[in-house]
Amino acid sequence: MIRWWSRLRPDNFTLALLATVALATLLPLTGTAAAGLDRFTDLAIAALFFLHGARLPRESIIAGLLHWRLHLTILACTFVLFPLFGLVLKPLAGWALTPELYIGVLFLCALPSTVQSSIAFTSIAGGNISAAVCAAALSSILGVFLTPLLMTLLAGSQGAMANPLHAVGAIMLQLLVPFVAGHLLRSWIARWVERQRALLRYTDQGTILLVVYAAFGESVTGGLWSKTPGSALLATVLVSVLLLAIAMPGITWLARRLGFSRQDEIPIVFCGSKKSLATGVPIAKVLFAGGSLGAIVLPIMIYHQLQLIVCAVIAQRYARQNAQ
């Protein structure tokens, strides 16, 4: 029981997310203070992606790019399979889910894969780490372009979305340009970045918490909780569980069906089934600047915790099987 509780217990970052949502509910910023926080979070997000670019080894990119079948499979799972899942769930819109929460589910399905946790779980499970590094990074970069375009196809004009071409340009300026700049400067700052890895991890998490606080504060001011019944929140949790329960076994079956080795199956399962909160929240901030941002990012926040719990268990199972 103790072992199972340690697996299911929320991690410190998830607890911090919950505390941030509570703080935004009780003490949301308004007016000039909210506008100032919004500008500060823009700068923090740009710095975050600059550091992501500086961390990514060029050797891993070159080694991983050679494995094109693996990358195409992961990208198909991320940007084709998941959006189809989102469309299948459309009957829940307006019945079990509020319109804003359903837009959030579609947004979750259109997001790229995570980087750090996908690589970490692949490493724990004994999979192809270089392929995981490249696949996760490629997914994040392509997500800058594909996520806004997919949301246009999936949701149309719902959710107060920005113009997709304008959104792509804004996301490139805020995320991709700093990422590329950081990677180009890697030869000069890589050693410093590696020495500060522990500190930078808290910088990553702190940036996400800032954006979540700003998003929920604005939504609470606009009546988020009064417009969102408890049954819709429960349905959002169940939808997130359902997505993960379908995606992970389905992607595992697909990897084996396509004849991938066990070492390559592992990054396909982890990179193909995970969705990035770190990339998703900044993209949502641009894409839904005039909408109910708090409700829209809520599904990815729930899915984030679920995927960490489930992937930790599966990574350990892969590791035990490799040791036999």
PDB file of all heavy atoms in Angstrom, residues 260-274:
ATOM      1  N   PHE A 260       9.005  -2.400 -34.825  1.00  0.00           N
ATOM      2  CA  PHE A 260      10.097  -1.712 -34.136  1.00  0.00           C
ATOM      3  C   PHE A 260      10.694  -2.606 -33.053  1.00  0.00           C
ATOM      4  O   PHE A 260       9.994  -3.428 -32.449  1.00  0.00           O
ATOM      5  CB  PHE A 260       9.595  -0.414 -33.499  1.00  0.00           C
ATOM      6  CG  PHE A 260       9.354   0.694 -34.489  1.00  0.00           C
ATOM      7  CD1 PHE A 260       8.072   0.992 -34.929  1.00  0.00           C
ATOM      8  CD2 PHE A 260      10.409   1.442 -34.978  1.00  0.00           C
ATOM      9  CE1 PHE A 260       7.844   2.013 -35.841  1.00  0.00           C
ATOM     10  CE2 PHE A 260      10.195   2.466 -35.889  1.00  0.00           C
ATOM     11  CZ  PHE A 260       8.918   2.755 -36.329  1.00  0.00           C
ATOM     12  N   SER A 261      11.982  -2.427 -32.803  1.00  0.00           N
ATOM     13  CA  SER A 261      12.633  -3.158 -31.725  1.00  0.00           C
ATOM     14  C   SER A 261      12.104  -2.664 -30.383  1.00  0.00           C
ATOM     15  O   SER A 261      11.501  -1.588 -30.294  1.00  0.00           O
ATOM     16  CB  SER A 261      14.148  -2.956 -31.786  1.00  0.00           C
ATOM     17  OG  SER A 261      14.475  -1.596 -31.496  1.00  0.00           O
ATOM     18  N   ARG A 262      12.376  -3.429 -29.339  1.00  0.00           N
ATOM     19  CA  ARG A 262      11.927  -3.043 -28.005  1.00  0.00           C
ATOM     20  C   ARG A 262      12.546  -1.707 -27.591  1.00  0.00           C
ATOM     21  O   ARG A 262      11.897  -0.867 -26.972  1.00  0.00           O
ATOM     22  CB  ARG A 262      12.298  -4.130 -26.997  1.00  0.00           C
ATOM     23  CG  ARG A 262      11.810  -3.852 -25.577  1.00  0.00           C
ATOM     24  CD  ARG A 262      12.247  -4.964 -24.643  1.00  0.00           C
ATOM     25  NE  ARG A 262      11.720  -4.763 -23.309  1.00  0.00           N
ATOM     26  CZ  ARG A 262      10.489  -5.099 -22.933  1.00  0.00           C
ATOM     27  NH1 ARG A 262       9.656  -5.642 -23.804  1.00  0.00           N
ATOM     28  NH2 ARG A 262      10.077  -4.896 -21.698  1.00  0.00           N
ATOM     29  N   GLN A 263      13.821  -1.493 -27.947  1.00  0.00           N
ATOM     30  CA  GLN A 263      14.507  -0.261 -27.586  1.00  0.00           C
ATOM     31  C   GLN A 263      13.868   0.945 -28.258  1.00  0.00           C
ATOM     32  O   GLN A 263      13.824   2.040 -27.677  1.00  0.00           O
ATOM     33  CB  GLN A 263      15.992  -0.352 -27.957  1.00  0.00           C
ATOM     34  CG  GLN A 263      16.830   0.747 -27.339  1.00  0.00           C
ATOM     35  CD  GLN A 263      18.293   0.596 -27.658  1.00  0.00           C
ATOM     36  OE1 GLN A 263      18.660   0.078 -28.713  1.00  0.00           O
ATOM     37  NE2 GLN A 263      19.151   1.053 -26.747  1.00  0.00           N
ATOM     38  N   ASP A 264      13.348   0.776 -29.480  1.00  0.00           N
ATOM     39  CA  ASP A 264      12.680   1.876 -30.177  1.00  0.00           C
ATOM     40  C   ASP A 264      11.206   1.993 -29.782  1.00  0.00           C
ATOM     41  O   ASP A 264      10.627   3.074 -29.861  1.00  0.00           O
ATOM     42  CB  ASP A 264      12.778   1.678 -31.690  1.00  0.00           C
ATOM     43  CG  ASP A 264      14.184   1.911 -32.213  1.00  0.00           C
ATOM     44  OD1 ASP A 264      14.970   2.577 -31.515  1.00  0.00           O
ATOM     45  OD2 ASP A 264      14.506   1.406 -33.305  1.00  0.00           O
ATOM     46  N   GLU A 265      10.614   0.879 -29.384  1.00  0.00           N
ATOM     47  CA  GLU A 265       9.220   0.910 -28.939  1.00  0.00           C
ATOM     48  C   GLU A 265       9.046   1.843 -27.739  1.00  0.00           C
ATOM     49  O   GLU A 265       8.044   2.566 -27.631  1.00  0.00           O
ATOM     50  CB  GLU A 265       8.773  -0.503 -28.556  1.00  0.00           C
ATOM     51  CG  GLU A 265       7.406  -0.577 -27.904  1.00  0.00           C
ATOM     52  CD  GLU A 265       7.136  -1.946 -27.270  1.00  0.00           C
ATOM     53  OE1 GLU A 265       7.482  -2.966 -27.894  1.00  0.00           O
ATOM     54  OE2 GLU A 265       6.586  -1.980 -26.162  1.00  0.00           O
ATOM     55  N   ILE A 266      10.043   1.851 -26.865  1.00  0.00           N
ATOM     56  CA  ILE A 266       9.931   2.622 -25.622  1.00  0.00           C
ATOM     57  C   ILE A 266       9.784   4.119 -25.885  1.00  0.00           C
ATOM     58  O   ILE A 266       8.843   4.756 -25.369  1.00  0.00           O
ATOM     59  CB  ILE A 266      11.139   2.309 -24.698  1.00  0.00           C
ATOM     60  CG1 ILE A 266      11.020   0.865 -24.188  1.00  0.00           C
ATOM     61  CG2 ILE A 266      11.208   3.290 -23.534  1.00  0.00           C
ATOM     62  CD1 ILE A 266      12.250   0.368 -23.463  1.00  0.00           C
ATOM     63  N   PRO A 267      10.667   4.772 -26.696  1.00  0.00           N
ATOM     64  CA  PRO A 267      10.428   6.198 -26.966  1.00  0.00           C
ATOM     65  C   PRO A 267       9.152   6.472 -27.752  1.00  0.00           C
ATOM     66  O   PRO A 267       8.541   7.538 -27.586  1.00  0.00           O
ATOM     67  CB  PRO A 267      11.674   6.629 -27.764  1.00  0.00           C
ATOM     68  CG  PRO A 267      12.262   5.375 -28.293  1.00  0.00           C
ATOM     69  CD  PRO A 267      11.939   4.315 -27.286  1.00  0.00           C
ATOM     70  N   ILE A 268       8.733   5.520 -28.590  1.00  0.00           N
ATOM     71  CA  ILE A 268       7.468   5.713 -29.311  1.00  0.00           C
ATOM     72  C   ILE A 268       6.305   5.787 -28.324  1.00  0.00           C
ATOM     73  O   ILE A 268       5.430   6.652 -28.421  1.00  0.00           O
ATOM     74  CB  ILE A 268       7.248   4.576 -30.331  1.00  0.00           C
ATOM     75  CG1 ILE A 268       8.251   4.699 -31.485  1.00  0.00           C
ATOM     76  CG2 ILE A 268       5.821   4.610 -30.884  1.00  0.00           C
ATOM     77  CD1 ILE A 268       8.218   3.538 -32.449  1.00  0.00           C
ATOM     78  N   VAL A 269       6.302   4.877 -27.334  1.00  0.00           N
ATOM     79  CA  VAL A 269       5.222   4.842 -26.345  1.00  0.00           C
ATOM     80  C   VAL A 269       5.217   6.121 -25.502  1.00  0.00           C
ATOM     81  O   VAL A 269       4.167   6.748 -25.301  1.00  0.00           O
ATOM     82  CB  VAL A 269       5.364   3.605 -25.446  1.00  0.00           C
ATOM     83  CG1 VAL A 269       4.393   3.681 -24.258  1.00  0.00           C
ATOM     84  CG2 VAL A 269       5.101   2.329 -26.251  1.00  0.00           C
ATOM     85  N   PHE A 270       6.393   6.528 -25.022  1.00  0.00           N
ATOM     86  CA  PHE A 270       6.434   7.684 -24.121  1.00  0.00           C
ATOM     87  C   PHE A 270       6.277   9.010 -24.873  1.00  0.00           C
ATOM     88  O   PHE A 270       5.510   9.872 -24.439  1.00  0.00           O
ATOM     89  CB  PHE A 270       7.731   7.671 -23.311  1.00  0.00           C
ATOM     90  CG  PHE A 270       7.774   6.585 -22.279  1.00  0.00           C
ATOM     91  CD1 PHE A 270       8.826   5.692 -22.214  1.00  0.00           C
ATOM     92  CD2 PHE A 270       6.749   6.437 -21.371  1.00  0.00           C
ATOM     93  CE1 PHE A 270       8.854   4.673 -21.274  1.00  0.00           C
ATOM     94  CE2 PHE A 270       6.752   5.433 -20.415  1.00  0.00           C
ATOM     95  CZ  PHE A 270       7.813   4.544 -20.369  1.00  0.00           C
ATOM     96  N   CYS A 271       6.994   9.185 -25.973  1.00  0.00           N
ATOM     97  CA  CYS A 271       6.882  10.452 -26.718  1.00  0.00           C
ATOM     98  C   CYS A 271       5.529  10.573 -27.421  1.00  0.00           C
ATOM     99  O   CYS A 271       4.987  11.672 -27.535  1.00  0.00           O
ATOM    100  CB  CYS A 271       8.001  10.561 -27.748  1.00  0.00           C
ATOM    101  SG  CYS A 271       9.659  10.643 -27.048  1.00  0.00           S
ATOM    102  N   GLY A 272       4.984   9.440 -27.886  1.00  0.00           N
ATOM    103  CA  GLY A 272       3.735   9.476 -28.630  1.00  0.00           C
ATOM    104  C   GLY A 272       2.506   9.692 -27.780  1.00  0.00           C
ATOM    105  O   GLY A 272       1.482  10.173 -28.268  1.00  0.00           O
ATOM    106  N   SER A 273       2.574   9.336 -26.487  1.00  0.00           N
ATOM    107  CA  SER A 273       1.389   9.431 -25.626  1.00  0.00           C
ATOM    108  C   SER A 273       1.394  10.654 -24.721  1.00  0.00           C
ATOM    109  O   SER A 273       0.374  10.985 -24.117  1.00  0.00           O
ATOM    110  CB  SER A 273       1.283   8.174 -24.747  1.00  0.00           C
ATOM    111  OG  SER A 273       2.383   8.098 -23.847  1.00  0.00           O
ATOM    112  N   LYS A 274       2.535  11.348 -24.597  1.00  0.00           N
ATOM    113  CA  LYS A 274       2.630  12.457 -23.649  1.00  0.00           C
ATOM    114  C   LYS A 274       2.307  13.788 -24.328  1.00  0.00           C
ATOM    115  O   LYS A 274       2.522  13.949 -25.526  1.00  0.00           O
ATOM    116  CB  LYS A 274       4.033  12.503 -23.032  1.00  0.00           C
ATOM    117  CG  LYS A 274       4.303  11.284 -22.139  1.00  0.00           C
ATOM    118  CD  LYS A 274       5.727  11.251 -21.655  1.00  0.00           C
ATOM    119  CE  LYS A 274       5.996  12.287 -20.602  1.00  0.00           C
ATOM    120  NZ  LYS A 274       5.187  12.081 -19.385  1.00  0.00           N
TER     121      LYS A 274
END
